[in-house]
Amino acid sequence: MTAKSVVVLDYGSGNLRSAQRALERVGADVEVTADAGAAMAADGLVVPGVGAYEACMTGLRGIGGEHIIADRVAAGRPVLGVCVGMQILFSRGVEFGVESVGCGQWPGSVTRLDAPVIPHMGWNVVDAAPGSTLFKGLDADTRFYFVHSYAAQTWEGAPDALLTWATHHVRFLAAVEDGPLSATQFHPEKSGDAGAALLANWVEGL
């Protein structure tokens, strides 16, 4: 059986090599590239992201990444956003009082967590959506690694999307599965065996 091909989109943001290694660990054939043709042709596309929302969007637009994501989703081709790569899928991000325009795949805003300790850093459990593909076979007490100060805290998108929540003083979206478009606020590539199991579930569905 041929390994599934996955492109990790290189737009100048994110720990690309750790994402690559994590996906290779679960049997994917991985390429790190900014090439639109390769990104469209792959079985799966991973959009990583670390740092500021606006900086990620600037980098993404620099390679036409928002169009690559939109074209893949329109064609029903799987995309997985990770951390800020999840946040930029929403319409807006608000950081330091500045509103930035995102990819708009999902309506709504990404805003600062109202918590006494920011960033939310470390291991946390999630309340996985019933019927989730990403969390298939994982126990309810499984912990994933988070490091973020912002998140989507409401859902205004498709009513049949599978929503996984987590709590750091306030409730926020830890993962979304919406047709071909999936995303995690935590870092599966930094989440050990649990993250590997989640990535394996995603790759298996490609």
Side-chain angles (χ1 to χ4, degrees):
M1 184 173 153
T2 309
K4 299 291 188 180
S5 61
V6 175
V7 160
V8 176
L9 193 61
D10 181 3
Y11 63 98
S13 177
N15 191 342
L16 304 174
R17 298 304 166 188
S18 69
Q20 179 183 16
R21 286 192 298 271
L23 287 155
E24 288 173 344
R25 175 185 171 189
V26 299
D29 178 13
V30 186
E31 180 182 5
V32 177
T33 181
D35 181 75
M40 285 302 299
D43 294 319
L45 176 69
V46 173
V47 182
V50 295
Y53 191 106
E54 177 63 31
C56 283
M57 280 306 304
T58 299
L60 194 68
R61 290 192 191 100
I63 65 160
E66 76 279 30
H67 302 301
I68 295 169
I69 293 168
D71 289 348
R72 281 192 65 99
V73 171
R77 315 256 303 146
V79 176
L80 176 66
V82 174
C83 196
V84 183
M86 170 177 175
Q87 296 176 8
I88 59 174
L89 297 172
F90 288 87
S91 296
R92 297 174 301 281
V94 182
E95 290 188 349
F96 309 112
V98 177
E99 184 171 302
S100 304
V101 176
C103 292
Q105 287 295 320
W106 295 322
S109 298
V110 170
T111 53
R112 193 173 192 271
L113 296 172
D114 182 14
V117 177
I118 291 290
H120 171 218
M121 184 182 296
W123 297 84
N124 204 345
V125 296
V126 301
D127 181 14
S132 166
T133 297
L134 291 180
F135 296 93
K136 184 179 68 179
L138 289 164
D139 294 334
D141 61 355
T142 300
R143 292 177 178 271
F144 296 90
Y145 187 78
F146 290 84
V147 52
H148 64 116
S149 301
Y150 298 82
Q153 297 172 60
T154 59
W155 177 252
E156 303 168 29
D160 58 349
L162 299 180
L163 308 178
T164 291
W165 299 87
T167 301
H168 178 65
H169 196 67
V170 292
R171 202 168 81 125
F172 64 89
L173 278 166
V176 176
E177 295 162 74
D178 181 21
L181 186 57
S182 300
T184 65
Q185 178 59 65
F186 55 83
H187 287 276
E189 79 281 8
K190 297 179 182 177
S191 295
D193 291 343
L198 182 140
L199 290 173
N201 285 339
W202 182 72
V203 169
E204 187 182 323
L206 297 179

